[in-house]
Amino acid sequence: MFQENRHDIVIKSDPASVRYEILWWGEAVWWPANSLMRFVRLTERPLQKGTRYRQEVVIPFAPSWEVEIDSLTDTSITRRFLNGMFVGFETVSFIDRTGNVEVSYRMHYECQGFLNRFLWLFIFKNLHDKNIELILASLKTFLEKGKKEV
């Protein structure tokens, strides 16, 4: 049974802009420079189902793993964990709320192995939660700043 890690934010923006930016999650110009997560694209084709990345936690001796885009829809992108400490997937999606857009990050996961479960519970989960909040706040700032300048 997968556990769920949830984070949400409301952004004053249009759905098309939000969709474009969440598709480039990990590669976008708004991605925080101090993020603990780095995405390294492993495939050179257009962004589509099957596009692969290596996700690297940017702290000494931290894990990395590969993910693959499993689904792209009009309102979401889902990446499946291919190896490493997790089995499962993560989805970034949005719902148009008339003038506001609710962006949701969901990670459905299971930690593999005792050591990984221990590290996740006592070290990495807290870092992950703070990092996702930082990423979502950066997305909000980027989209709302752009909207105000128009």
Side-chain angles (χ1 to χ4, degrees):
M1 179 80 134
F2 286 141
Q3 295 183 51
E4 183 181 53
N5 182 268
R6 308 174 56 134
H7 300 272
D8 301 290
I9 197 164
V10 175
I11 301 172
K12 291 182 190 292
S13 184
D14 62 284
S17 296
V18 172
R19 180 181 190 275
Y20 179 82
E21 296 304 334
I22 69 170
L23 291 180
W24 296 105
W25 188 266
E27 297 185 84
V29 297
W30 54 265
W31 193 259
N34 58 340
S35 172
L36 296 178
M37 181 61 63
R38 177 176 37 227
F39 281 66
V40 178
R41 188 191 282 245
L42 301 175
T43 53
E44 291 298 323
R45 57 186 181 189
L47 188 68
Q48 61 188 4
K49 182 175 175 156
T51 299
R52 288 186 176 206
Y53 296 89
R54 184 174 55 253
Q55 290 183 340
E56 301 172 343
V57 180
V58 190
I59 57 176
F61 308 108
S64 68
W65 53 87
E66 292 182 9
V67 297
E68 179 178 84
I69 294 177
D70 194 45
S71 171
L72 287 169
T73 71
D74 289 342
T75 59
S76 70
I77 181 170
T78 298
R79 286 174 295 278
R80 181 172 46 95
F81 301 113
L82 299 176
N83 53 39
M85 69 186 291
F86 300 113
V87 170
F89 59 95
E90 62 182 358
T91 299
V92 182
S93 62
F94 69 89
I95 298 170
D96 184 7
R97 301 277 190 211
T98 313
N100 292 313
V101 178
E102 182 179 342
V103 177
S104 298
Y105 171 91
R106 300 287 183 270
M107 184 168 106
H108 300 268
Y109 68 97
E110 220 176 85
C111 284
Q112 297 299 291
F114 174 79
L115 180 59
N116 285 331
R117 283 192 296 275
F118 178 84
L119 291 171
W120 174 253
L121 186 62
F122 292 104
I123 299 171
F124 294 134
K125 184 178 183 304
N126 186 44
L127 292 173
H128 167 82
D129 288 343
K130 288 179 181 177
N131 195 58
I132 293 298
E133 294 297 323
L134 172 72
I135 293 164
L136 290 172
S138 183
L139 171 63
K140 177 181 176 83
T141 298
F142 178 80
L143 286 168
E144 290 183 354
K145 179 183 174 202
K147 188 157 185 117
K148 287 178 186 171
E149 291 175 356
V150 172

